Amino acid sequence: MHDIATLMSLNDMALDNFVATISRMPEDKLSWVPIEGTRNVRDMMHEVAEASNWFAEAVENKSAEKLQWQIWAEKLKEHAPEDQTLDDLIKRCRGANERLKAAYTNLSDEELDAILPGSHMEPTPRKLAMFPVRNTWYHMGQVNYIQTCYGDHEM
């Protein structure tokens, strides 16, 4: 059984490492892509923020309707708004993470294990709590790959 406090702590650590890594990158590399048509580091930050908000919303509304793959597939094509600076994206990631933690605050074991209707996944809040951690780690790996592509092997 997943301990929610531990998962929220892991998510904090994953986000801290994600932000720290990106903050050390040269600004001109935040929008760099290895090949045309792929997402850049800014886009990954956008997704990390959006994903935390998606999961928070599911827990807040007790509904997984918006977690259906058809909806996610379209959301995953989004790019970070051009007018958002690195600081803006960091604030969005941190704000979404705080929203996620707030959504889990004071949920009983019964609420944590209740299926959220509306998705083929039949998720519970407890099962969903690992998704933001995994998503941030996944994008951290992508950022590290991008860094090696443009020649930064020190990360």
Side-chain angles (χ1 to χ4, degrees):
M1 188 147 322
H2 302 306
D3 174 58
I4 298 305
T6 299
L7 289 174
M8 292 300 126
S9 179
L10 284 171
N11 199 46
D12 286 343
M13 288 186 279
L15 185 58
D16 287 346
N17 288 327
F18 183 67
V19 168
T21 297
I22 292 168
S23 296
R24 289 189 299 267
M25 290 176 64
E27 191 168 337
D28 67 322
K29 299 301 184 193
L30 297 175
S31 296
W32 185 88
V33 293
I35 59 172
E36 193 172 323
T38 59
R39 296 189 306 164
N40 60 43
V41 172
R42 291 172 40 78
D43 298 333
M44 289 173 213
M45 293 182 77
H46 172 74
E47 184 188 319
V48 166
E50 288 294 295
S52 289
N53 279 319
W54 301 335
F55 294 117
E57 182 178 337
V59 173
E60 292 163 352
N61 295 336
K62 295 178 179 28
S63 170
E65 188 173 319
K66 292 185 180 178
L67 298 182
Q68 296 178 53
W69 179 245
Q70 309 89 288
I71 295 171
W72 273 50
E74 291 305 309
K75 293 288 287 174
L76 295 176
K77 294 177 187 175
E78 291 181 1
H79 294 277
E82 291 293 324
D83 64 339
Q84 290 190 347
T85 66
L86 175 60
D87 285 341
D88 293 334
L89 291 166
I90 291 170
K91 285 177 189 166
R92 283 187 53 217
C93 286
R94 295 213 182 275
N97 187 50
E98 291 304 313
R99 178 182 179 190
L100 179 72
K101 291 190 300 189
Y104 278 90
T105 301
N106 300 323
L107 289 181
S108 68
D109 280 341
E110 182 179 293
E111 291 169 308
L112 285 168
D113 296 321
I115 292 175
L116 301 175
S119 171
H120 68 284
M121 296 180 353
E122 296 187 335
T124 66
R126 190 181 307 274
K127 288 178 183 175
L128 286 181
M130 184 61 187
F131 280 73
V133 177
R134 188 180 71 182
N135 190 55
T136 302
W137 283 340
Y138 172 80
H139 288 298
M140 179 73 162
Q142 289 183 307
V143 168
N144 291 157
Y145 174 72
I146 286 174
Q147 289 172 308
T148 62
C149 287
Y150 70 74
D152 180 357
H153 300 282
E154 294 182 28
M155 298 172 275

